[in-house]
Amino acid sequence: MKLEEIPRVSTIAKEDFLQHYFRPQIPVVIENAVDHWPAISKWSLDYMSEIAGDKTVPLYDDRPVHHEDGFNEPHAQMKMVDYIDLLKSKPTRYRIFLWNIFREVPELQNDFDFPDLGLRLQKKLPMLFFGGRDSFTFMHYDIDLSNIFHFHFEGIKECVLFPPSQTKYLYKVPHSLITHEAIDFSNPDLNKWPLLKKAQGYRAVLDHGEMLYMPEGYWHYMKYRSPGFSMSLRSWPKNPLNFSKAVYNVLFMRNFDVLMRKVGGQKWIDHKNLKALRRS
């Protein structure tokens, strides 16, 4: 694949961010965007175990989508203290996905604020993501097509991004937010998936305290090189077309797919995967 390194800056003024990255919809890594946050010095796996250890958390892995799975339905549950012990003891595919810290552990909100980079952020939707070494998310885009500020803590995380213009090369599965699940985007078989040779995207490796800006509707694949966790803050899409797509995804596409899983069973999932190949 043709992947260029995501631009990096140490810090950036709001006007420069809007001019050089938000308006042209280009990703950027800001290395010291939130050095003033208490979270930078406090947040670690051990701290999360201490402050949220008694919380039961939803866990996901990289198994293929099954027709009996609900939309974002977890594959398992575990106490946070036990999950973090698992992360630190051995590699595991289990991840925490879209964990709302505002609702679950309100005191964590004292450790960060909402950076002013010219976008209005959704104050009630800060989300945490955890993963063990070599765990990953399928290549996907977010259902609401938000602009995303993604902050990483502890460990190292690899990120591969593609703009929406590259969708035609990514083997997108219809009526869903993912590409074909058989593709390993950390080491794709370009003989089996030849269109990926044409895809032009971005790559970055995030360390503790770094922030990645992902423009609205961007495809992203995340892989944990070591155990760690991240937090995302979101801003609604500003492009009217993207906003309408987000409304369609939330109100129609998601409900239609859930209905078809109930009606068609696994044949519906297999049909979508086959259609992704035929369309490509």
Side-chain angles (χ1 to χ4, degrees), residues 144-160:
D144 59 0
L145 281 79
S146 286
N147 293 276
I148 300 172
F149 297 120
H150 193 71
F151 307 85
H152 189 61
F153 299 93
E154 189 158 330
I156 298 174
K157 191 176 193 179
E158 179 182 5
C159 310
V160 176

Side-chain angles (χ1 to χ4, degrees), residues 3-16:
L3 299 178
E4 63 178 275
E5 289 296 315
I6 294 176
R8 284 179 167 266
V9 297
S10 176
T11 60
I12 194 168
K14 174 172 62 176
E15 295 75 14
D16 290 335

Side-chain angles (χ1 to χ4, degrees), residues 3-271:
L3 299 178
E4 63 178 275
E5 289 296 315
I6 294 176
R8 284 179 167 266
V9 297
S10 176
T11 60
I12 194 168
K14 174 172 62 176
E15 295 75 14
D16 290 335
F17 169 76
L18 293 174
Q19 178 181 350
H20 297 296
Y21 300 105
F22 170 69
R23 293 192 184 104
Q25 291 287 276
I26 296 173
V28 62
V29 174
I30 306 176
E31 297 172 339
N32 302 297
V34 290
D35 277 358
H36 64 284
W37 280 6
I40 296 299
S41 59
K42 291 172 63 176
W43 284 16
S44 65
L45 290 174
D46 287 339
Y47 181 71
M48 289 296 169
S49 180
E50 175 185 340
I51 199 168
D54 63 334
K55 300 295 182 181
T56 299
V57 294
L59 302 176
Y60 302 81
D61 57 28
D62 53 8
R63 70 187 70 179
V65 173
H66 190 270
H67 74 279
E68 293 181 351
D69 295 336
F71 198 88
N72 284 342
E73 183 177 333
H75 300 136
Q77 294 185 357
M78 190 180 294
K79 292 290 187 182
M80 176 64 93
V81 63
D82 297 325
Y83 174 64
I84 289 179
D85 286 345
L86 176 63
L87 289 184
K88 295 168 65 176
S89 65
K90 62 181 180 180
T92 175
R93 297 295 193 187
Y94 279 135
R95 297 175 291 106
I96 296 177
F97 179 71
L98 290 175
W99 189 53
N100 190 320
I101 65 171
F102 181 82
R103 182 177 65 244
E104 298 290 344
V105 191
E107 56 265 42
L108 285 174
Q109 289 248 53
N110 299 325
D111 295 338
F112 67 92
D113 57 25
F114 294 85
D116 181 13
L117 288 172
L119 301 183
R120 180 176 293 180
L121 298 173
Q122 300 171 37
K123 299 296 180 68
K124 293 185 178 181
L125 288 177
M127 297 291 184
L128 280 183
F129 306 79
F130 289 70
R133 180 162 61 96
D134 294 332
S135 65
F136 62 89
T137 64
F138 293 115
M139 181 67 74
H140 68 286
Y141 67 92
D142 286 12
I143 192 168
D144 59 0
L145 281 79
S146 286
N147 293 276
I148 300 172
F149 297 120
H150 193 71
F151 307 85
H152 189 61
F153 299 93
E154 189 158 330
I156 298 174
K157 191 176 193 179
E158 179 182 5
C159 310
V160 176
L161 276 58
F162 290 99
S165 62
Q166 301 301 295
T167 299
K168 57 189 175 183
Y169 303 128
L170 300 179
Y171 300 90
K172 179 186 182 301
V173 176
H175 308 295
S176 72
L177 311 172
I178 63 174
T179 61
H180 200 290
E181 298 164 296
I183 301 174
D184 176 4
F185 275 92
S186 63
N187 185 29
D189 183 342
L190 297 182
N191 291 320
K192 186 174 181 180
W193 312 102
L195 281 182
L196 294 181
K197 297 177 184 178
K198 298 184 178 183
Q200 298 184 12
Y202 298 90
R203 175 185 174 275
V205 175
L206 299 181
D207 208 337
H208 178 84
E210 295 183 337
M211 185 201 91
L212 167 64
Y213 165 64
M214 290 188 286
E216 52 196 64
Y218 258 57
W219 292 93
H220 46 283
Y221 164 91
M222 307 288 195
K223 185 171 184 177
Y224 294 85
R225 290 189 176 180
S226 57
F229 62 102
S230 305
M231 181 176 72
S232 282
L233 302 178
R234 318 170 72 79
S235 176
W236 295 116
K238 304 303 181 287
N239 182 314
L241 180 59
N242 286 340
F243 186 81
S244 65
K245 288 180 179 178
V247 172
Y248 169 83
N249 288 341
V250 172
L251 298 182
F252 178 77
M253 186 273 291
R254 174 172 58 181
N255 294 321
F256 176 75
D257 187 54
V258 170
L259 174 64
M260 290 303 296
R261 291 186 192 189
K262 294 178 180 178
V263 173
Q266 193 61 30
K267 289 182 179 179
W268 169 244
I269 303 296
D270 296 340
H271 164 75

